[in-house]
Amino acid sequence: MKQDMIVILDLGSTENTVIAREIRDLGVYSEIHPHDITVDELKALNNVKGIILNGGENRVVDGVAVDVNPAIYECGYPVIAIDHPTAKCDTNLDKLPDIEFLKSFLFDTCKAEANWNMKNFIEDQVELIRKQVGDKKVLLALSGGVDSSVVAALLLKAIGDQLVCVHVNHGLMRKNESENVVEVFRNQLNANLIYVDATDRFLDKLAGVADPEQKRKIIGAEFIRVFEEEARKLEGIDFLGQGTIYPDIIESGTKTAKVVKSHHNVGGLPEDLQFALVEPLLQLFKDEVRACGVELGLPAEMVYRQPFPGPGLGVRCLGAITRDRLEALRESDAILREEFAKAGLDKKVWQYFTVVPDFKAVGVRNHERSMGYMVVIRAVNTIDAMTASIERLDYDFLEKVVARITEEVTSVSRVCYELTPKPVATIEFE
Ligand code: XMP
């Protein structure tokens, strides 16, 4: 890393990432480190220009007050403290610093250079990846999600055909999603891409399984199995690429933060298939990952796509999945996404999709009574997915979507718009 860095020491504040984000937005790279970092560890970080001690509600953990190593004050870096004033700091603040204060700390006090940008980041990572990988090969599970797509593009730039991507189509992808992954990575970017259509395998395993957690477990375990089988067919692979990003690490729990969300990645591979990891996005927040994807030339639909759960349409085809209901779900979802894009709503709404419950409702088609599926439309806005509000979709827009779905997806007899925020509902139905 050639870029200057401001280190935030984590004393239990939930605002650490907010400050790190603000500093990066000002063009200076910032990382969060544990409060008990040693002077040697601090010195081993590249280009540290200043330190922020950020206290917070978990300042006392299990009855014991946490504090920084006192030698930190003697390292020669400018230090400011927020929330636990101490006489040894250059400045003590009782609330989060405002932008002008931060600017003055970064550029006047610390003399940091505003050199954090995606061009520099990519240059650095290409060099680091080449150094780490040498002439060996890297295997990557390419789901087509933002993180794995950006890792693929970055690894491709760094090591070209030493990268082997595997895309597993579990049959629960949205319409044309797998086809797009193949088109972009194999046809446009010339990546080594192994495409595995495992639809039948997944759907057979899921047949008759109605419990949502059981469905998730089957999909996760089967994914590992298919990926493992592909990995065993390949020779000379030493590394596994992963799209782990900064919030995955921060949310996995720090010494002082009590938030814990398990790190999701291609874990669970058997012992004899252990690879060294290449995780070039480890330092990036989600919007930085997108900016990196744009800089690498990935298509906007790939970089700005809405969040899509790992188990895919499997958790939106409620209860035991059947092929015809899955088809109704995939087609209605494609129509909804098309209409959202036409109306410019795709840039405004955080997540929007359809769901098909496991029952039929009566309807009339061709002057005859007919039983059909019910499609539920969900469109929500959120910042962190912990709470979500409903998008107030226009009635004319909704009527257009209802008309298209019922006309084009003939197995559907009704369409509903769901209005429950999170809480009390969750974003997904299962
Ligand atoms: P909920 O339904 O919990 O969803 O309000 C919050 C966010 O998480 C996504 N989600 C998942 N993502 N695997 C994933 O990778 C899953 O099993 C899963 N379940 C929910 C959901 O789409 C929303 O963005």
Side-chain angles (χ1 to χ4, degrees), residues 119-367:
K119 247 194 184 61
N120 288 347
F121 170 79
I122 291 168
E123 245 177 57
D124 272 0
Q125 289 304 320
V126 164
E127 203 179 303
L128 288 171
I129 292 165
R130 285 182 183 156
K131 214 187 222 164
Q132 185 188 2
V133 172
D135 59 359
K136 304 281 193 300
K137 284 186 180 163
V138 181
L139 178 64
L140 175 76
L142 175 58
S143 68
V146 182
D147 303 344
S148 72
S149 300
V150 175
V151 174
L154 189 51
L155 286 169
L156 204 56
K157 187 178 170 78
I159 54 167
D161 59 11
Q162 287 163 255
L163 171 70
V164 183
C165 302
V166 175
H167 176 71
V168 177
N169 177 359
H170 50 24
L172 305 165
M173 306 289 280
R174 291 171 291 188
K175 193 173 180 176
N176 294 330
E177 207 159 23
S178 284
E179 289 82 350
N180 283 340
V181 171
V182 173
E183 170 57 27
V184 170
F185 285 95
R186 186 186 282 167
N187 301 346
Q188 295 176 20
L189 299 176
N190 283 322
N192 267 332
L193 172 67
I194 298 169
Y195 170 69
V196 188
D197 184 354
T199 304
D200 290 343
R201 251 177 99 149
F202 278 82
L203 295 188
D204 288 352
K205 277 256 153 55
L206 287 163
V209 181
D211 176 64
E213 285 316 303
Q214 195 60 26
K215 284 164 71 177
R216 275 193 169 77
K217 274 193 195 132
I218 291 173
I219 296 167
E222 199 56 19
F223 181 86
I224 299 286
R225 220 163 286 142
V226 175
F227 188 73
E228 180 201 336
E229 282 173 20
E230 293 305 317
R232 285 195 193 283
K233 289 184 204 161
L234 299 165
E235 280 181 8
I237 304 271
D238 288 84
F239 294 93
L240 187 69
Q242 290 219 36
T244 318
I245 69 172
Y246 203 46
D248 295 336
I249 308 177
I250 301 285
E251 287 167 14
S252 290
T254 61
K255 287 182 186 164
T256 37
K258 292 186 177 162
V259 209
V260 175
K261 179 174 143 197
S262 63
H263 202 126
H264 62 91
N265 49 36
V266 192
L269 285 175
E271 289 273 308
D272 65 327
L273 261 187
Q274 289 303 312
F275 304 103
L277 296 181
V278 185
E279 299 180 290
L281 306 184
L282 222 45
Q283 298 152 319
L284 301 188
F285 287 106
K286 192 78 182 187
D287 57 323
E288 292 171 325
V289 175
R290 294 188 208 279
C292 181
V294 170
E295 187 69 37
L296 287 162
L298 288 179
E301 316 84 78
M302 201 161 241
V303 169
Y304 288 101
R305 74 176 217 160
Q306 53 169 322
F308 187 57
L313 298 181
V315 291
R316 295 178 182 168
C317 189
L318 307 187
I321 299 167
T322 57
R323 287 181 191 248
D324 61 336
R325 212 150 43 81
L326 187 59
E327 204 47 32
L329 171 62
R330 184 176 283 122
E331 292 299 322
S332 58
D333 180 73
I335 292 170
L336 184 77
R337 287 191 291 129
E338 207 177 296
E339 291 301 325
F340 260 66
K342 271 197 228 161
L345 287 165
D346 56 336
K347 292 177 191 68
K348 179 177 170 237
V349 181
W350 197 77
Q351 206 170 358
Y352 47 95
F353 52 89
T354 62
V355 171
V356 181
D358 188 14
F359 62 81
K360 283 187 170 175
V362 71
V364 182
R365 233 176 234 285
N366 302 324
H367 312 290

